[in-house]
Amino acid sequence: AQKVTQAQTEISVVEKEDVTLDCVYETRDTTYYLFWYKQPPSGELVFLIRRNSFDEQNEISGRYSWNFQKSTSSFNFTITASQVVDSAVYFCALSEGDSGYSTLTFGKGTMLLVSP
Amino acid sequence: KAGVTQTPRYLIKTRGQQVTLSCSPISGHRSVSWYQQTPGQGLQFLFEYFSETQRNKGNFPGRFSGRQFSNSRSEMNVSTLELGDSALYLCASSPATGVNNYGYTFGSGTRLTVV
């Protein structure tokens, strides 16, 4: 069965610090997708990134970067020079298979609090 | 373009009652999925609808049901409400079935409180 673990329940940083959110996943499939979502206090889940299991390239998007390592089953997310607006709950999610029946299995989330 | 719209935003119901939540997907999106978010269980998949047919269902009791209309709008219904049904219910829309193909766009959710 698939599983996503986000060991960090809550992280507090001061603005401009770098912060890394950890995500470890379990799956028996060779084809799978990994996602990160951000949930601000308003409630909606905002899509950040999707990565398939065959693409281990790290990705950078502005202040955000993602480190995907199949050898350790990890898909970590780093925010560089954090800002107060980054405060939110961040979810890592996994979807197995390559079909139209794929759904998301979420981790428990990491609450990030960035103070001025 | 307009995002995913969920109504109502907040609901308070009494144990034993039933409730209907509504979701209007992004224009052109034909798949609607529902997720339940609680502090204890986190985010869990409820079901997915595509072209008015339920394509996939999560591990929830039969009290949870849904449907999709010809305009892709979806409703979910919970009958005989229990205190444990208190949650944020999130709707997600996608152009086609399965999250892998196109990803999801989520709505802001309906927060249901059962008293």
Side-chain angles (χ1 to χ4, degrees):
Chain A
Q2 53 188 1
K3 183 180 178 182
V4 177
T5 302
Q6 294 180 256
Q8 304 149 309
T9 305
E10 187 172 324
I11 300 176
S12 292
V13 299
V14 177
E15 211 170 16
K16 297 185 183 176
E17 283 187 31
D18 298 347
V19 58
T20 296
L21 309 182
D22 297 333
C23 173
V24 174
Y25 61 91
E26 295 176 29
T27 178
R28 294 179 182 175
D29 276 15
T30 55
T31 301
Y32 53 89
Y33 287 74
L34 295 163
F35 300 77
W36 276 94
Y37 283 88
K38 172 183 179 180
Q39 187 175 43
S42 54
E44 80 275 22
L45 287 167
V46 178
F47 169 79
L48 296 176
I49 190 172
R50 177 181 64 190
R51 176 55 52 83
N52 73 53
S53 53
F54 299 106
D55 182 4
E56 283 193 78
Q57 271 193 329
N58 292 331
E59 182 157 338
I60 298 175
S61 176
R63 297 184 296 107
Y64 296 170
S65 62
W66 289 269
N67 182 3
F68 176 28
Q69 291 194 336
K70 287 177 74 171
S71 61
T72 55
S73 297
S74 64
F75 187 43
N76 297 337
F77 173 33
T78 297
I79 302 175
T80 303
S82 59
Q83 300 176 1
V84 173
V85 294
D86 296 327
S87 297
V89 181
Y90 291 85
F91 291 94
C92 180
L94 166 70
S95 178
E96 289 178 330
D98 187 17
S99 75
Y101 292 93
S102 50
T103 63
L104 289 173
T105 296
F106 285 90
K108 294 292 190 183
T110 297
M111 179 178 289
L112 174 63
L113 178 60
V114 182
S115 53
Chain B
K1 56 183 177 182
V4 180
T5 303
Q6 291 189 245
T7 56
R9 284 282 280 143
Y10 302 93
L11 265 180
I12 300 177
K13 289 287 188 178
T14 303
R15 195 170 43 182
Q17 287 186 315
Q18 75 166 19
V19 67
T20 299
L21 313 181
S22 178
C23 172
S24 293
I26 290 172
S27 178
H29 284 196
R30 297 171 63 193
S31 170
V32 173
S33 298
W34 290 88
Y35 284 77
Q36 181 197 62
Q37 184 176 21
T38 60
Q41 299 299 315
L43 282 152
Q44 294 184 288
F45 170 73
L46 279 158
F47 26 64
E48 178 181 19
Y49 286 87
F50 179 79
S51 293
E52 302 177 65
T53 302
Q54 187 180 89
R55 292 269 297 179
N56 206 347
K57 190 177 192 306
N59 188 24
F60 278 82
R63 300 184 298 106
F64 291 81
S65 63
R67 59 177 175 170
Q68 187 180 35
F69 302 95
S70 58
N71 62 358
S72 294
R73 189 178 70 86
S74 176
E75 289 181 348
M76 67 162 281
N77 184 77
V78 188
S79 62
T80 319
L81 284 166
E82 301 176 359
L83 296 179
D85 297 333
S86 294
L88 179 66
Y89 290 88
L90 289 161
C91 166
S93 85
S94 181
T97 60
V99 65
N100 290 345
N101 298 323
Y102 297 96
Y104 289 151
T105 301
F106 282 89
S108 295
T110 293
R111 185 164 297 282
L112 171 66
T113 302
V114 182
V115 297

